[in-house]
Amino acid sequence: MEGRLGVFYGVSVGPGDPELLTVKACRVLKACPVIAAPQSQSGEQLALSIAGQAVDLDGKTLLSLSRDPEVLEVAWEKNADLVAAYLDRGADVAMVVLGDVSTYSTYCYVMERLKQRGYPTQMIPGVTSFAAIAA
């Protein structure tokens, strides 16, 4: 790893309404050339869909990250490898997640593996579903 390493951002997209993304979340998504998103077994990428309604993602490299419950530990390691390839080239990567990035988030599993490898990470907080319901 030579030169500047990219930053791995965890970007909260909130409970489903694209207007609930924070200004900071939108800024990071616009700035990052690579956007990673969890993909369900059915192929759905709900967090990416929500983010794409708030920010123009045209021209970005999109990474689909597995959430296969049968092989989660292996999937998280593979996802970390996939993201690290871009970080090594100095590209920042934003991983979009539903709700808030610190609450039951797939991002944390990948983040921990990348932090152990020496990559910089940053969490961008957002609106949790339970806070939206209470409001």
Side-chain angles (χ1 to χ4, degrees):
M1 293 185 283
E2 291 183 22
R4 177 198 177 273
L5 292 175
V7 177
F8 183 50
Y9 293 93
V11 179
S12 306
V13 300
D17 182 347
E19 291 184 348
L20 292 179
L21 268 75
T22 65
V23 172
K24 186 172 187 174
C26 291
R27 181 184 55 75
V28 168
L29 289 172
K30 288 175 185 174
C32 287
V34 182
I35 308 295
Q39 181 174 6
S40 68
Q41 287 180 317
S42 69
E44 183 179 28
Q45 291 182 290
L46 185 55
L48 183 63
S49 174
I50 295 165
Q53 293 174 60
V55 175
D56 182 8
L57 301 179
D58 287 344
K60 307 257 184 213
T61 299
L62 303 177
L63 304 179
S64 296
L65 304 183
S66 173
R67 290 186 337 184
D68 185 346
E70 300 293 320
V71 292
L72 280 180
E73 194 65 38
V74 172
W76 294 328
E77 204 59 45
K78 285 183 180 178
N79 292 338
D81 292 342
L82 183 63
V83 170
Y86 289 92
L87 299 176
D88 285 342
R89 295 188 292 229
D92 294 334
V93 177
M95 181 176 176
V96 291
V97 296
L98 295 174
D100 180 76
V101 71
S102 66
T103 309
Y104 306 115
S105 170
T106 305
Y107 169 80
C108 292
Y109 299 106
V110 179
M111 176 199 69
E112 286 302 322
R113 283 155 180 80
L114 290 169
K115 281 177 76 171
Q116 289 172 357
R117 298 179 191 184
Y119 294 98
T121 63
Q122 185 176 346
M123 296 164 94
I124 310 300
V127 178
T128 60
S129 61
F130 49 85
I133 289 170

